[in-house]
């Protein structure tokens, strides 16, 4: 149906080439390089991102996965601890928990927001529970008021995974500032990107120091700059870490991309709200967000098919038909993690800590009816499609209309 091109992603911000050239000529491409008499881009981005989010501390990292593992370890999560998280997310939501020798416990989701259901979370709490990892998924913010209350009531750490929610707010506060730690991904697909990268936020100076050490092999920045040519990192002997540092090139890109984030988020929001109205008229149900949301951002646009329509046609075939109409990928939402091909802790010998532990981390022990039902009827597409204009939203709605009307043909072709 569609022949015009869609907006590309990523889109470089003004000034990014100059910033990269500055790094190239600086003599320092990493925080582990020698001090050259000027502040690193990594520290400049950390300060800017903390200010943007209203957070006291930001510690950048190499990826969203690294950020999650740093957050878990900074909060003291370790061997045998249970961590409640969502079954509907990218694999890292579970693999990072297993990666610190803890046990992922999946709680069911709210059918409208697709985020963790606080009632299901409370039912999953046991004496072994140490933390809750909540994901603000696709374009929704989770019910932070209730989740924060649960964490306080039971003495648990709340970690916010904001990999898909840069700039979103809840009760007029940026997400990532409600929990003990907020984590972010700056992967190629994200609304704030440097290709790869991540960050953690916290209001707690003690946690910030632990996060610094966890991302730089146990080292922290010195309190004052060293002489030129010397290392700027202090070997603390307080906490063993790993190398999960953001490069100077990535930090330079992020510092410039941050300048256009709000403008891009506003464009995506306007188009998403228009598309909501168009698809609701067709009987489709766009993803909702929790009532406390005061600013919504879109990593992915999600819509659920109306009950009774396209019965007998697989969701993969429906998504493929939509993609052919539009000329960009439309996919089913994430499969439940307990059924995901990517989440298979039994395939890694490092997690074989004994039969009892292996049974606890076996994803097949979970069956969550709401998650399973939602994933059978919901499709999503990337936020780049929301970077266009009203005519682009009309094309998306028309593609859905055509596929809904021609469901019988899809069944016939499949047959």
């Amino acid at each position: 149906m569609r022949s015009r091109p869609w907006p590309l992603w990523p889109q470089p911000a003004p000034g990014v080439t100059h910033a990269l050239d500055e790094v190239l000529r600086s003599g320092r491409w990493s925080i582990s390089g020698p001090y050259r008499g000027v502040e690193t881009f990594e520290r400049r981005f950390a300060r800017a991102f903390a200010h943007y989010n209203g957070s006291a501390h930001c510690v950048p990292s190499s990826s969203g996965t690294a950020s999650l593992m740093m957050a878990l370890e900074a909060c003291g999560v370790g061997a045998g601890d249970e961590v409640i998280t969502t079954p509907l997310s990218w694999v890292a939501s579970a693999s990072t928990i297993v990666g610190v020798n803890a046990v992922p416990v999946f709680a069911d989701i709210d059918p409208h927001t697709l985020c963790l259901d606080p009632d299901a979370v409370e039912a999953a709490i046991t004496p072994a529970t140490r933390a809750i990892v909540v994901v603000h998924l696709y374009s929704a913010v989770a019910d932070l008021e209730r989740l924060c209350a649960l964490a306080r009531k039971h003495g648990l750490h709340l970690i916010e995974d904001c990999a898909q929610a840069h700039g979103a707010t809840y009760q007029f506060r940026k997400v990532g500032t409600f929990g003990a730690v907020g984590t972010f991904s700056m992967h190629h697909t994200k609304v704030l990107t440097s290709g790869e990268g991540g960050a953690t936020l916290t209001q707690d100076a003690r946690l910030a120091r632990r996060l610094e050490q966890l991302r730089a092999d146990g080292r922290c920045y010195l309190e004052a700059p060293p002489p030129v040519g010397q290392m700027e990192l202090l070997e603390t002997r307080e906490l063993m870490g790993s190398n999960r540092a953001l490069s100077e090139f990535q930090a330079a890109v992020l510092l410039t991309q941050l300048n256009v984030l709000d403008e891009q988020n506003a464009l995506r929001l306007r188009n998403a709200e228009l598309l909501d109205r168009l698809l609701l008229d067709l009987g489709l149900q766009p993803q909702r967000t929790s009532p406390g949301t005061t600013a919504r951002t879109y990593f992915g646009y999600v819509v659920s098919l109306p009950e009774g329509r396209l019965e007998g046609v697989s969701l993969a075939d429906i998504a493929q038909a939509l993609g052919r109409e539009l000329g960009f990928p439309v996919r089913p939402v994430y499969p439940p993690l307990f059924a995901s091909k990517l989440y298979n802790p039994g395939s890694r010998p490092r997690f074989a800590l004994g039969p009892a532990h292996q049974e606890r981390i076996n994803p097949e022990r979970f069956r969550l009816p709401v998650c399973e039902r939602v994933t059978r009827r919901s499709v999503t597409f990337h936020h780049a499609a929301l970077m266009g204009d009203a005519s682009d939203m009309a094309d998306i709605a028309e593609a859905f209309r055509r596929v809904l009307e021609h469901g019988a043909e899809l069944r016939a072709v499949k047959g």
Side-chain angles (χ1 to χ4, degrees):
M1 182 185 76
R2 164 107 178 191
S3 58
R4 289 185 294 124
W6 291 91
L8 286 177
W9 188 261
Q11 298 179 6
V16 70
T17 303
H18 175 78
L20 286 170
D21 187 64
E22 186 177 336
V23 176
L24 277 170
R25 300 174 188 278
S26 69
R28 186 175 185 183
W29 293 2
S30 165
I31 63 170
S32 294
Y35 180 64
R36 296 300 184 188
V38 296
E39 188 176 41
T40 62
F41 271 99
E42 196 257 13
R43 296 194 85 170
R44 289 159 60 185
F45 169 69
R47 186 172 62 251
F49 198 58
H51 176 76
Y52 173 82
N53 287 288
S55 179
H57 306 279
C58 171
V59 179
S61 68
S62 57
S63 67
T65 299
S67 294
L68 278 170
M69 292 192 73
M70 288 160 51
L72 289 163
E73 291 195 82
C75 290
V77 175
D81 292 333
E82 291 181 357
V83 179
I84 299 171
T85 193
T86 177
L88 186 59
S89 183
W90 180 244
V91 64
S93 294
S95 64
T96 52
I97 297 168
V98 173
V100 299
N101 292 333
V103 177
V105 175
F106 298 119
D108 218 338
I109 60 172
D110 179 281
H112 306 296
T113 68
L114 280 59
C115 296
L116 273 176
D117 178 349
D119 290 334
V121 171
E122 186 159 31
I125 294 172
T126 75
T129 306
R130 188 69 176 271
I132 302 166
V133 175
V134 58
V135 180
H136 304 303
L137 190 70
Y138 289 121
S139 68
V141 176
D143 189 342
L144 283 170
E145 183 173 5
R146 292 189 63 199
L147 290 169
C148 286
L150 277 178
R152 287 191 300 269
K153 175 182 176 182
H154 295 278
L156 304 175
H157 297 287
L158 179 66
I159 296 170
E160 292 180 75
D161 182 343
C162 310
Q164 303 182 6
H166 308 67
T169 66
Y170 184 88
Q171 296 177 349
F172 301 99
R173 276 174 56 189
K174 290 288 201 316
V175 299
T177 63
F178 288 82
V181 182
T183 73
F184 294 79
S185 168
M186 279 69 168
H187 177 260
H188 169 93
T189 57
K190 301 304 191 291
V191 298
L192 179 65
T193 180
S194 52
E196 295 286 358
T200 56
L201 299 177
T202 184
Q203 307 290 9
D204 187 319
R206 183 189 66 85
L207 283 177
R209 185 172 178 86
R210 288 176 63 84
L211 290 164
E212 276 202 58
Q213 293 170 92
L214 286 163
R215 67 85 193 266
D217 290 312
R219 299 170 294 172
C220 289
Y221 275 113
L222 294 165
E223 291 186 7
V228 171
Q230 299 297 310
M231 293 295 292
E232 198 175 0
L233 298 175
L234 173 69
E235 297 179 6
T236 67
R237 201 177 177 83
E238 297 170 11
L239 179 65
M240 187 175 75
S242 301
N243 181 7
R244 296 167 173 150
L246 189 73
S247 81
E248 283 293 274
F249 293 103
Q250 294 167 309
V253 171
L254 290 173
L255 189 63
T256 53
Q257 296 298 129
L258 186 59
N259 293 330
V260 297
L261 175 60
D262 284 346
E263 178 184 350
Q264 292 173 338
N265 276 342
L267 173 60
R268 283 185 284 259
L269 177 61
R270 287 196 302 273
N271 281 324
E273 289 177 340
L274 170 59
L275 186 56
D276 284 353
R277 295 192 292 271
L278 296 173
L279 295 185
L280 282 166
D281 286 343
L282 297 174
L284 294 142
Q285 290 295 323
Q287 181 187 19
R288 301 180 202 170
T289 188
S290 63
T293 306
T294 43
R296 192 172 181 180
T297 63
Y298 283 79
F299 165 73
Y301 186 95
V302 175
V303 64
S304 295
L305 301 172
E307 295 294 334
R309 301 291 298 274
L310 300 177
E311 298 291 344
V313 184
S314 76
L315 191 63
D317 289 337
I318 295 167
Q320 187 176 54
L322 288 164
R324 284 197 301 265
E325 290 286 327
L326 287 166
F328 65 70
V330 178
R331 299 183 174 91
V333 294
Y334 297 121
L337 280 171
F338 48 81
S340 171
K341 295 177 181 178
L342 297 179
Y343 181 57
N344 182 13
S347 66
R348 300 277 295 275
R350 65 178 291 190
F351 303 134
L353 303 181
H357 184 78
Q358 286 177 279
E359 181 56 32
R360 291 177 74 199
I361 64 173
N362 180 1
E364 294 180 2
R365 68 189 182 99
F366 293 95
R367 286 295 178 268
L368 302 172
V370 178
C371 181
E372 293 180 67
R373 184 173 69 251
V374 165
T375 55
R376 288 194 295 265
R377 301 296 296 170
S378 303
V379 296
T380 182
F381 57 83
H382 187 251
H383 65 83
L386 299 176
M387 299 291 288
D389 57 25
S391 67
D392 295 314
M393 301 308 104
D395 282 351
I396 295 171
E398 175 63 11
F400 274 92
R401 186 194 66 77
R402 287 165 60 90
V403 170
L404 284 172
E405 288 189 0
H406 294 274
E409 294 173 29
L410 288 174
R411 282 191 292 270
V413 169
K414 191 65 176 177

